[in-house]
Structure formats: C-alpha cells, structure tokens
C-alpha cells in the first residue's frame, strides 16, 4: 500500500524501556496491524459467558512502538490519520465493574457485529436499528516519561486510550513527546463509538491503520489536541436527536442521570431491553456538557441520533 | 402573528405562588417578549465598566408565568419551539466570579454584537472572525414544587436555566410538571452559544419567542428531555474543528484544561487576546465528554469550529 513498513508486533502497557520495532523519519507513513481490545480472545462464536472468562492481563494491546527519528521531550508529534482498512467484524460488551452504569448493569453481555468493510454501510443492531460507522483508533499515543510499566486503560497527558471518536481518517493529531524517539503505538480500533463510550466498549474491531508522522520542535502542548478536516457527525445527524438531560452539581452524576433517562426512553418507546439500549447508546450516543457555569448546577445532555432507530 | 396572547410581564426567580399572567389550553400557542439576561441594564452604549455596575437582583428575568389548563404534578408539559424574532443586538460578558475560568479572568469584559435579525448571517466578532447564529432560549421551565422564591441562575429538575443551545426552532421540549397549572416561563434568549457556555454568557439578545403547549398526562420523567427535528451543528461544522483535550480523574478539571488549551491555541495561532478568545469560545465552542469509562481518567474535549476564523 505504499508504506515501507507494516507493523504486527503488539505490547501490553506503556513502558519507555520497550525497544522500538521500527524507526521512522519525520514525513514517513507506516501501516499498523491492530488487533481488537480483547487481544483476539473473542470471535464470531463468542457469547456473554466468554466476557466472564476474559484474561484481563491481555486487554488493550497496542501495535508498536515506533521510534520517531529526532523526537525529543518538549517536541510535538504530529500524526496524520491516513486511512483504515476495517475487518468487517466487531463486538460490544458490558464488562462487569466497567462502564458508566456499572452499578445497574452487573451481568456480562456481548453483541457481535458484522459490517461491510468496503462500503461501511450502517451496521445492523439486531432487530432494533442500524448504526452509522466511522472507524477510528481508541488508543493512540506515545510513551510517558515516568519509568516502569503503566496500564493502557487510562488515557494520559501523552494520549493513549483517549477514545475520541473523531480521531478518524483525515484528522491531524498532536501529541506531547516525553521521551527520546517518542515511542508511538496505536490500538483499540473502533468501527463506531459515541462521545462518552458509556458502556465501556465501542464496536471493538480489528483493522489496519495507516498513519503519517511529522515532528514539530519544541512547542508547548499541555494535552493532546487535533484538527478535523471537516464535519464530524454528518454520518448520523440527518434525522436529528432524542436528547435526555441530567442536572446537578456533579458532572459525573449528571452524566449518569442523562444516560439513565435515555435508557428509560429507549426501553419505553422502542421496546429495547435495557442492556441492549445501553450497548447501543455506547456506540452511537453522545455525552455533551450543555452548560458548566450556572452555579451550582450543571447540565449534561445525552444525544441519541434518531436515524439509528428510524 | 396568529397568537392569542403576547406576554410582556417578567418575573425574577421561580416561585409557585406567583400569579399566572395568562391561562392557556393545551394546543395553544403564545408569543413571549423576552428581555436579555441583564434585564435591560446594558445597551449598545455600554462598556466593560457597566458589567461591574450590574444590579444582580435584576439578573435573569423570565417572561410568564403561564398557567396550562389541566396540568397536574406528574404530567409532562410538551413545549414546541415555533420561532424566534431576534432583535439584532446582543452582548457577551465576562462577569468576575462567574464562568468556567473565573480564577484566570478576574476583570470584567464586554463585547457588543450587531447581527441581521432577518438573515441571521454569521455575526462579526471584531477583526477576528464570524460566528454562525442559532437563536434559542437559555432559560425555559416550569415552577418547582418547593415553596418560596428560588434563584433562576441554576437549572433544576423542572428545567429553567439549562442553557442548552439546541432548544432552537423546531425542537420539542418535555418538562416534568411539579405544580398545578405548571406555571411556565421563558427567558435568557441567546443568538448563539456553544455547549458549555464556558465564559458564563452567550450572545445575550432580547427576542420574541413563539411556543406551543401540549400536555402529556402522567408519564414519568426524571429530567427535561427534547427532540430536535434535524441536525444541530450544520450551521458551523462545514470546515471541521480544532479540538483540545483535558484528561484526568475530575471532569470539571478536565473541562478547564481543555478550554484553557484552546485559549492558548487561539492566542498563539490567531493572535486573539486571551479574553477575546474566552468570550468567542463561549459563543461557538463545544464541550464534549469523549470518554467517561477508562478508569481513572476521563477525556473532555473542546471543539472550536474552524469556520469561525477561516
């Protein structure tokens, strides 16, 4: 595909002592073979019982690391997302103890997806609806300066598991470099996800990802930032949204209330079982902060695209 | 305009003992003459010094209340937003002690806007850019059951100052009724606002608002919800977004970091003074929760529409 390297090696956790598998010069593009967030432990034959049997020491593998020639702490690594070659299958799970409403949803659940990797036509969610797709990498980042092995689950200043659904094809991502060579890795590809990833998983789907690397020397950057080339929600906004709110002095509680109310609405109006509504909200609904200034109560809204069910 | 009533009376605070100024039957539409959130204390001749002289006992007047015939506690009041007749002028202020970055921006600031109320063409923000407009009512709600006078500043379960920028023309809003007759009021009209209203004010602008009322008997509703008739961001998303992030275990701190980084970017890349960047972000930038599940760190993103500056 015109890339000098395709990387297949994965690692578990961030550790700046990991040896790079490839060296890349600024301007170079590389293809990454990304496995799903369960590291291949699930397949088209899996069921909810397999969620209970997951080996969490194998969760969230990332492909890399790539040493960027000349990268030094204080630099910014610019990553241009060139393209995705999705696999056509994926999964969404409720993993007990994980997710915004973990208290309410204590049982494992698993939904398996099939989609057309060439057309990326909206993917059927059982009898309930169709979810527009937009592939992106949930985990994308560089090694932290702090020595030792660090979990990949939480995102950090250097990026990682940010789960930002708009880091899609055409986006330019800017990451703060903390170690020589940057040590870039990518993983956790998703075929679709809403803002919040409320059940804790998206449409988890292995893909190939092509990225280009550039270096910006010694520019201050507190946290990752990015630039999208165009609109970010036109694949799903055509029919508008159903929106629920949560209002109160705690953003987390308000977010839980907003999502809980959406589950009530979807179960009451459309007959979805609550667990299905929860998984569906995670792959296509968006958590927004409508206001964060009207002391002492904030408004968090959850936007569910009507096109999914209509 | 085909409405049997146009209401001009305003009140300060929510109080279910306030006498209704109009009774309306379900199905009826009413026009409301809404003054700006400062209750007429600012004009096209005002300056930042006038922000320091604001009488806060006159802040956030709302027009109403309207008694909806037959409304009882436990009902849902459906409010269809028919149309706005904007005035063509507005203001955005930094009010000391108020706003997401109140610690950093301690001085009063005021920006005055002129816009074309018939075309609603994007409004000039000095030499810096143009802001797409989408009028809505920042405060819209019904009287709470709790007796006595309650500030209008915080939103509540019964709505009020929710500052949700998508409660625009065509939207159907559903409010939980807590007192007989519902006692509906509306105010705080904005010509434009981003999700978050980060500096604490939007394009505060007096308008006439036409609304239609319907009643849904005895349906449970925890918090307000609404339904938009179509896309909500197409007026400003055509050129994509610049996005900054904040990552950490506290959503409020992450939101502050994301907005702070956007101010850094706008000042560095486009030369805006920080206070102008702050006001501009409040009227067109969006706070989103990208992920709220990757324990212990959440990702909050701030989306600034590139069309504003390009």
């Amino acid at each position: 595909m015109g890339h000098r390297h395709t990387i297949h090696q994965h690692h578990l956790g961030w550790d700046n002592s990991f040896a790079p598998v490839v060296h890349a010069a600024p301007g170079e593009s590389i293809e990454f073979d990304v496995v799903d967030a369960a590291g291949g432990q699930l397949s088209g034959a899996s069921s909810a019982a397999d969620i209970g049997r997951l080996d969490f020491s194998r969760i969230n593998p990332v492909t890399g690391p790539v040493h960027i020639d000349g990268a030094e702490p204080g630099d910014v690594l610019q990553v241009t997302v060139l393209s995705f070659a999705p696999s056509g299958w994926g999964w969404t799970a409720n993993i007990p103890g994980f997710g915004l409403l973990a208290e309410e949803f204590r049982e494992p659940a698993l939904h398996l997806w099939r989609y057309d990797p060439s057309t990326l036509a909206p993917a059927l969610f059982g009898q309930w609806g169709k979810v527009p797709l937009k592939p992106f990498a949930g985990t994308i980042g560089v090694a932290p300066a702090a020595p030792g092995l660090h979990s990949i689950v939480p995102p950090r200043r250097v990026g990682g598991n940010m789960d930002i659904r708009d880091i899609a094809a055409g986006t330019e991502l800017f990451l703060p470099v903390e170690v020589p060579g940057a040590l870039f890795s990518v993983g956790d590809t998703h075929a679709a996800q809403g803002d919040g990833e409320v059940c804790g998983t998206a449409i988890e789907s292995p893909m190939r990802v092509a990225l280009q690397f550039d270096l910006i020397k010694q520019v201050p950057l507190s946290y990752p930032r990015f630039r999208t080339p165009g609109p970010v929600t036109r694949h799903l906004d055509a029919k508008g949204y159903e929106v629920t709110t949560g209002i109160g002095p705690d953003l987390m509680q308000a977010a839980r209330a907003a999502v809980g109310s959406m589950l009530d609405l979807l179960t009451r109006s459309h007959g979805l079982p609550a667990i299905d509504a929860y998984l569906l909200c995670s792959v296509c609904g968006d958590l927004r902060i409508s206001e964060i200034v009207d002391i002492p109560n904030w408004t968090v809204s959850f936007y569910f695209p009507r096109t999914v069910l209509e």
Side-chain angles (χ1 to χ4, degrees), chain A:
Chain A
M1 299 293 286
H3 310 292
R4 195 159 62 90
H5 296 287
T6 297
I7 303 180
H8 304 276
Q9 294 94 328
H10 313 126
H11 59 91
L12 294 161
W14 294 108
D15 189 328
N16 65 34
S17 72
F18 286 161
V21 296
V22 159
H23 286 243
E28 195 168 338
S29 64
I30 291 179
E31 189 181 55
F32 297 77
D33 183 12
V34 172
V35 294
D36 71 286
Q41 297 183 73
L42 299 171
S43 75
S46 297
S47 69
D50 295 305
I51 297 301
R53 289 192 282 264
L54 284 176
D55 175 357
F56 285 95
S57 72
R58 293 168 59 195
I59 287 284
N60 241 321
V62 288
T63 303
V66 176
H67 178 283
I68 309 297
D69 296 344
E72 293 294 337
D75 292 348
V76 168
L77 179 64
Q78 178 176 342
V79 184
T80 303
V81 182
L82 298 177
S83 62
F84 293 87
S87 57
W89 92 275
W91 57 272
T92 302
N94 183 52
I95 300 171
F98 195 62
L100 183 62
L101 303 180
E103 293 297 311
E104 289 91 325
F105 294 95
R106 295 168 175 272
E107 298 301 316
L110 178 67
H111 181 83
L112 298 173
W113 302 83
R114 283 270 163 207
Y115 61 88
D116 185 329
S118 55
T119 65
L120 287 177
L124 266 183
F125 183 71
Q127 69 193 91
W128 305 111
K130 286 182 185 173
V131 175
L133 304 180
K134 189 170 97 171
F136 71 99
T139 303
I140 186 165
V142 295
L149 186 68
H150 304 273
S151 167
I152 284 191
V153 173
R156 305 161 188 283
R157 175 177 179 261
V158 283
N161 195 21
M162 298 185 287
D163 282 319
I164 299 172
R165 65 99 190 274
D166 295 322
I167 301 183
T171 291
E172 297 166 294
L173 170 67
F174 303 88
L175 295 167
V177 173
E178 289 194 355
V179 300
L183 299 178
F184 172 91
S185 301
V186 61
D188 192 27
T189 37
H190 296 158
Q193 183 204 296
D195 281 327
E197 200 187 19
V198 296
C199 89
T201 57
I203 300 183
E204 309 290 330
S205 184
M207 298 183 199
R208 291 202 170 199
V209 187
L211 304 172
Q212 180 179 321
F213 299 94
D214 291 281
L215 211 48
I216 304 170
K217 297 299 289 181
Q218 300 298 319
V219 167
L221 184 61
S222 302
Y223 287 98
R225 68 178 183 87
F226 60 98
R227 180 186 298 137
T228 80
V232 295
T233 48
R234 292 201 180 184
H235 59 306
L236 47 67
D237 70 1
K239 295 190 176 174
Y241 296 89
E242 295 283 353
V243 188
T244 50
T245 66
I247 297 172
D250 181 81
L251 290 167
M252 178 62 76
Q253 287 306 117
R256 289 199 177 110
V259 174
S261 289
M262 184 58 74
L263 301 188
D264 291 346
L265 181 65
L266 293 177
T267 55
R268 209 171 55 241
S269 306
H270 295 271
L272 275 81
I275 181 64
D276 291 294
Y278 187 38
L279 302 183
L280 187 58
C281 281
S282 192
V283 302
C284 70
D286 294 332
L287 270 178
R288 301 186 184 188
I289 300 175
S290 297
E291 68 83 6
I292 195 166
V293 294
D294 295 324
I295 298 169
N297 289 346
W298 327 129
T299 306
V300 176
S301 298
F302 188 70
Y303 282 60
F304 186 94
R306 294 167 60 187
T307 192
V308 169
L309 297 175
E310 289 182 5

